[in-house]
Amino acid sequence: MSGVNGVALTVLIGLFALVTIMGFFASRWRRPTSMESLDEWGLGGRSFGTWITWFLLGGDLYTAYTFVAVPAAMFAAGSVSGFFAVPYTIVLYPIIFVFMGRLWSVSHRHGYVTTADFVRGRHGSRGLSLAVAVTGFIATMPYIALQLVGIQAVLEVAGVGGGDNWLAKDAPLFVAFALLAAYTYSSGLRAPAIIAFVKDALIYLVIIVAIIYLPTKVGGWENIFSAAEQKMTTPNPIDGKPTGTFIPGATTHWAYATLGLGSALALFMYPHSITASLSASSRNTIRRNAAILPAYSFVLGLLALLGWVAIAAGTKPIGLDGKPNAQLVVPQLFEDFFPSWFAGVAFAAIAIGALVPAAIMSIAAANTFTRNIYKEWLKPDATPKQEAKISKLSSLGVKGFALVFVLVLDKQNAINFQLLGGIWILQTFPAVVLGLYTRWLHRWGLLAGWAVGMVYGTWQAWNVTNPRAGTEHFGGSLSPIPVIGALGYIALTAFVLNLLVAVVVTLVLRATKAPAGEDETIRGDYFADAGDPRVEKLPTPIHQEAPNP
Amino acid sequence: MGSHDVVDRGAVDHDTVPPARKGLLAIACVLLALPIVALMWVSSYSRDEPRLFDFPFFIWYQFLWVFLCSGMTYTAYRIVLVARPHRPMTDEADAGPDAGLDPSAAHSQDRS
């Protein structure tokens, strides 16, 4: 695909400009007396009601990377790699219904902004809290980078980004990034919240139009499914095995189920999911949203099917460098079949779909850094104003780092890190979620479990080769489950191991009466709601004894 | 900085779990668990037939569960609101004269 698609590009730039303006004006929306606190900048004042939370969470969970990578996986490797996103985003909601209410309540009472805050307060362990914080941070970074990859994919299909001059090639990304950084700096979480309206409207519009219009152009759904089946059962020349899966066969059932469940458990451990949830105005906002967010799952399923529509359409996703790149399949499909202006709308949907999560992720990563690294270890007496300042600056730093990552490193690295990030973040689940219910697991047992899960998961991912892509390490996310033998999602296997180790170490520590760490929460905290007062804390560090009154 | 002790004069002890109707909570749990069980049990739906509007069973069954799960989650939500009504903690911070302290707050499930 050579040449710049001028019309599409103009529409893309126009819509992009619109949301940029909205981003800058966002600081005036639900205007606080001051933006100078982590609560206001980093959590939007904890004031978002049901519908804003729906847009924000939807904007957060369904990222540009999702829109680019899920159909790409369906196109290239079939349902086990691509369609698991549907059951994943279905079982996700009962899971978060169950525990997110508690986390919201206890965070409301104690002013927690991150999961590491909660872990410190609940388990009384700075080490465990640091482990959770660092894990959240390093898992978020590649995710941000991949949003920029999503923007790149769109720009590449629009014809921008070719040529040898790296400045011209990457200039659009720089511009997009600079604008994003600027309005996130000034408006904090309000910016992506307001842009999420536009993003979701565009995404719904584009996908619904696509799913109605495109199948008629490629011979109907029966033709689409038989084309997909034919492609997936054709042996791949490199290793002689079928290209992919049409409908998962018995040997892939474990893979499909563990990918779905593992991803669902992990998603809400990411700092950005927590940030979006804690910005809600009440405990029940999340639970209501658990019932209405599945609307996005439906759209995601349709989007995944577009990957197979592309097979029937004969789409050829070739990059500007001449090499096949499955990530380009959806933008390319749109460009091939839609009039240029609508292709531009579709590209804008994806590009804006990158901005919202990139903004939220960078805010969340910044919140974690500020609260759990800077304030905890470097400057314990930081005021809310100083916290907000540090968060703003570190959010810039995080985005800058992601940009460098994308420009300098091979895209495959970003994908590998994201894969690892998913494995890593799930290892914080025991400390956070089980901690919401019980203190039976000892803090050092949890830390040991976390460490084992991290090491095992990383090692297993390192061992996965992908002969088709020519990669020797981090080739995929599946490896044989011990005892069961079938291929399963590495993150979930590591998680089970993590739990086992935590239990065993806890038993040992309890037997040796190791000190348990102080819990600053009470049982009623986990059921608190919007009207309940914040617990007033004494300004002494947690490990110091407060003087007797 | 440990747990907050009870404010006396028949006040609610907030270091307890608010009361709930266990039967209703159990129903809510079942409703929340069903979608998870159904979708994790891949062998029950990984087949092509019967097709619906040319869509393989594997595909349309999962789409169906989007709606079923949404409905079940919403129902569970309504049940949980009734099963465990919110027990306000606004009395907890005051050490002085109570502000509308209700000694029967522990039995809040009997109220609307």
Side-chain angles (χ1 to χ4, degrees):
Chain A
M1 182 89 283
S2 62
V4 174
N5 188 333
V7 175
L9 200 56
T10 311
V11 173
L12 170 59
I13 293 174
L15 284 166
F16 204 91
L18 170 69
V19 297
T20 301
I21 295 169
M22 288 172 78
F24 279 112
F25 272 100
S27 57
R28 299 184 185 203
W29 179 42
R30 292 164 172 260
R31 180 165 229 169
T33 41
S34 161
M35 201 60 99
E36 313 255 276
S37 73
L38 217 49
D39 259 31
E40 286 299 338
W41 186 84
L43 285 183
R46 298 188 202 251
S47 66
F48 296 146
T50 303
W51 289 106
I52 299 172
T53 303
W54 186 72
F55 280 104
L56 189 65
L57 275 172
D60 199 15
L61 305 181
Y62 297 87
T63 69
Y65 184 59
T66 313
F67 290 121
V68 160
V70 167
M74 280 289 267
F75 179 81
S79 54
V80 172
S81 311
F83 212 71
F84 82 84
V86 174
Y88 148 35
T89 56
I90 295 175
V91 304
L92 179 62
Y93 298 117
I95 290 172
I96 65 167
F97 181 102
V98 166
F99 75 77
M100 204 40 106
R102 284 190 171 236
L103 185 62
W104 188 92
S105 292
V106 74
S107 302
H108 170 75
R109 285 277 289 164
H110 293 269
Y112 298 146
V113 168
T114 65
T115 45
D117 280 348
F118 164 68
V119 165
R120 201 208 351 86
R122 174 62 155 164
H123 297 289
S125 168
R126 298 174 84 208
L128 187 59
S129 171
L130 184 65
V132 169
V134 168
T135 309
F137 198 80
I138 59 178
T140 306
M141 302 295 286
Y143 220 158
I144 302 176
L146 285 177
Q147 303 315 315
L148 300 179
V149 166
I151 299 182
Q152 262 185 343
V154 154
L155 289 174
E156 207 168 332
V157 171
V160 178
D164 303 316
N165 182 341
W166 71 261
L167 188 62
K169 187 157 103 69
D170 296 318
L173 203 57
F174 273 112
V175 170
F177 169 83
L179 292 170
L180 168 70
Y183 59 69
T184 309
Y185 190 92
S186 66
S187 311
L189 197 65
R190 284 173 169 77
I194 219 172
I195 295 172
F197 287 102
V198 176
K199 176 219 170 185
D200 293 340
L202 288 176
I203 295 279
Y204 275 90
L205 170 71
V206 166
I207 293 185
I208 288 172
V209 167
I211 213 75
I212 295 173
Y213 177 70
L214 290 177
T216 61
K217 295 299 224 174
V218 296
W221 283 105
E222 197 180 344
N223 192 36
I224 291 168
F225 289 117
S226 38
E229 185 170 14
Q230 201 200 11
K231 174 173 178 177
M232 294 306 153
T233 47
T234 308
N236 183 290
I238 297 177
D239 60 10
K241 293 194 216 145
T243 302
T245 46
F246 175 60
I247 289 178
T251 53
T252 52
H253 288 169
W254 275 100
Y256 195 74
T258 54
L259 279 169
L261 185 63
S263 308
L265 293 174
L267 182 64
F268 267 81
M269 296 294 96
Y270 276 100
H272 62 280
S273 312
I274 300 292
T275 296
S277 305
L278 294 185
S279 68
S281 56
S282 83
R283 169 183 170 83
N284 287 320
T285 304
I286 305 295
R287 295 172 142 188
R288 272 194 293 271
N289 264 280
I292 57 181
L293 279 166
Y296 286 96
S297 310
F298 186 72
V299 169
L300 184 60
L302 297 180
L303 180 67
L305 288 178
L306 285 180
W308 281 357
V309 172
I311 297 176
T315 308
K316 299 204 183 337
I318 314 263
L320 286 166
D321 55 1
K323 292 191 223 141
N325 180 359
Q327 308 275 331
L328 304 177
V329 79
V330 156
Q332 192 62 60
L333 178 68
F334 286 157
E335 197 185 46
D336 289 343
F337 282 87
F338 283 129
S340 290
W341 68 269
F342 195 76
V345 172
F347 294 166
I350 298 175
I352 295 170
L355 296 178
V356 173
I360 305 176
M361 286 171 191
S362 64
I363 291 171
N367 288 348
T368 291
F369 176 78
T370 305
R371 268 289 165 105
N372 309 119
I373 297 175
Y374 179 77
K375 181 164 178 175
E376 183 69 24
W377 300 90
L378 299 174
K379 195 167 161 57
D381 57 347
T383 63
K385 189 170 167 172
Q386 286 167 331
E387 279 188 321
K389 188 97 202 162
I390 295 293
S391 232
K392 287 181 174 190
L393 290 173
S394 47
S395 150
L396 272 185
V398 159
K399 288 197 269 289
F401 183 82
L403 184 67
V404 167
F405 197 95
V406 165
L407 295 178
V408 167
L409 290 180
D410 190 72
K411 203 178 326 245
Q412 192 54 42
N413 284 298
I415 296 172
N416 292 342
F417 271 110
Q418 165 59 5
L419 160 67
L420 278 174
I423 294 173
W424 292 335
I425 200 75
L426 184 54
Q427 309 316 316
T428 62
F429 190 98
V432 176
V433 177
L434 298 183
L436 286 170
Y437 290 89
T438 172
R439 285 211 346 134
W440 185 81
L441 286 165
H442 195 281
R443 57 189 169 152
W444 295 333
L446 287 167
L447 194 56
W450 168 85
V452 168
M454 296 286 278
V455 167
Y456 177 83
T458 310
W459 169 57
Q460 285 292 304
W462 170 262
N463 278 342
V464 179
T465 58
N466 187 343
R468 293 181 194 176
T471 52
E472 281 180 22
H473 300 290
F474 304 121
S477 51
L478 301 171
S479 81
I481 307 172
V483 175
I484 294 172
L487 281 179
Y489 186 29
I490 295 171
L492 199 58
T493 317
F495 171 71
V496 170
L497 190 59
N498 177 343
L499 277 178
L500 287 172
V501 167
V503 167
V504 166
V505 172
T506 297
L507 288 169
V508 168
L509 289 172
R510 281 176 175 258
T512 57
K513 306 245 188 302
E518 218 175 277
D519 178 4
E520 68 180 11
T521 66
I522 59 173
R523 289 188 190 82
D525 287 341
Y526 296 90
F527 299 91
D529 208 341
D532 296 327
R534 174 85 53 103
V535 170
E536 291 306 320
K537 288 213 212 312
L538 300 170
T540 50
I542 194 167
H543 54 274
Q544 236 172 281
E545 201 82 58
N548 283 323
Chain B
M1 213 161 347
S3 57
H4 306 268
D5 283 328
V6 172
V7 176
D8 51 22
R9 347 161 161 214
V12 176
D13 175 8
H14 285 287
D15 194 8
T16 57
V17 172
R21 291 164 61 175
K22 298 269 194 283
L24 285 183
L25 281 186
I27 297 175
C29 274
V30 167
L31 284 174
L32 292 169
L34 270 174
I36 303 176
V37 167
L39 287 163
M40 289 299 104
W41 188 14
V42 183
S43 54
S44 70
Y45 59 92
S46 66
R47 67 180 92 103
D48 199 342
E49 303 289 331
R51 286 204 173 194
L52 188 65
F53 303 120
D54 294 328
F55 281 71
F57 181 75
F58 176 73
I59 303 280
W60 68 258
Y61 182 78
Q62 290 177 86
F63 274 116
L64 178 64
W65 268 105
V66 170
F67 296 99
L68 291 177
C69 183
S70 179
M72 288 181 187
T73 310
Y74 188 71
T75 310
Y77 169 65
R78 302 298 313 191
I79 291 177
V80 164
L81 284 181
V82 169
R84 200 193 315 260
H86 178 55
R87 178 180 72 188
M89 297 177 90
T90 40
D91 55 331
E92 188 231 20
D94 304 326
D98 49 7
L101 249 183
D102 184 350
S104 70
H107 303 291
S108 57
Q109 74 255 37
D110 294 331
R111 295 189 293 187
S112 66

